[in-house]
Amino acid sequence: MRTRWALSVTVLAGVLTLGVPAVAHAESPIELGGAYVVDRAGVLSGGDGNSIVSALDSLYERAGIQLLVYVDSFTGSSDWANDTAILNRLGTNDVLLAVAVSDRNYELSTDADFGLTDAQLSTVERAIESELRNDNWAQAAIVGAQTLESEAV
């Protein structure tokens, strides 16, 4: 499911943060603290994080797009990814992929002025969904970044 926020701010810079594996729990929209990846559901290993960051770095270097990933369960908002994007003041070229592992749900949130068309974003969503269906959590983020990159360049 894709949502768009109407907010134009500076690009969020971040580093990889992987949380200690834990049981997935419901959570209201969160502050990302400058992280590219936050894994409170404990579904990513350290090697997964490195692979995800590599794909995210390539996406940013080649297309100027930052994809941010959050993995957990949604609560406290009917528009979780959008509310998280606004809370973190994400910019025009930022994309938030929010995956609620225990809910079996995800949201892809972009700015209203994001440079890809709805058709291009649908291509990205299909690529992500194919990995999420098989519980390939890290690969969903990697394929999402690679598909965003190929659609943007």
Side-chain angles (χ1 to χ4, degrees):
M1 177 172 83
R2 180 176 342 112
T3 57
R4 290 187 181 238
W5 71 86
L7 182 67
S8 245
V9 295
T10 57
V11 175
L12 176 70
V15 295
L16 172 67
T17 302
L18 290 176
V20 177
V23 175
H25 61 282
E27 189 162 339
S28 295
I30 64 156
E31 291 190 37
L32 298 171
Y36 280 129
V37 179
V38 177
D39 176 20
R40 296 201 179 162
V43 296
L44 303 176
S45 72
D48 290 340
N50 293 335
S51 297
I52 292 169
V53 168
S54 182
L56 298 179
D57 286 345
S58 176
L59 173 63
Y60 183 73
E61 288 168 13
R62 296 199 60 223
I65 298 170
Q66 292 194 103
L67 174 70
L68 299 112
V69 182
Y70 177 76
V71 181
D72 201 359
S73 182
F74 306 149
T75 191
S77 172
S78 60
D79 196 8
W80 196 95
N82 230 13
D83 290 344
T84 299
I86 291 168
L87 176 68
N88 288 278
R89 298 174 28 177
L90 299 187
T92 304
N93 288 332
D94 294 332
V95 177
L96 177 64
L97 170 60
V99 179
V101 175
S102 61
D103 296 343
R104 309 287 306 165
N105 189 20
Y106 84 98
E107 296 177 0
L108 188 66
S109 180
T110 62
D111 186 89
D113 294 326
F114 187 65
L116 296 183
T117 66
D118 285 344
Q120 290 171 306
L121 289 172
S122 291
T123 299
V124 173
E125 288 176 327
R126 283 191 300 277
I128 291 168
E129 289 168 3
S130 69
E131 296 300 330
L132 292 178
R133 266 195 287 289
N134 296 311
D135 295 343
N136 294 331
W137 312 115
Q139 198 59 32
I142 292 166
V143 166
Q146 291 169 340
T147 308
L148 274 167
E149 183 177 322
S150 68
E151 291 295 316
V153 291

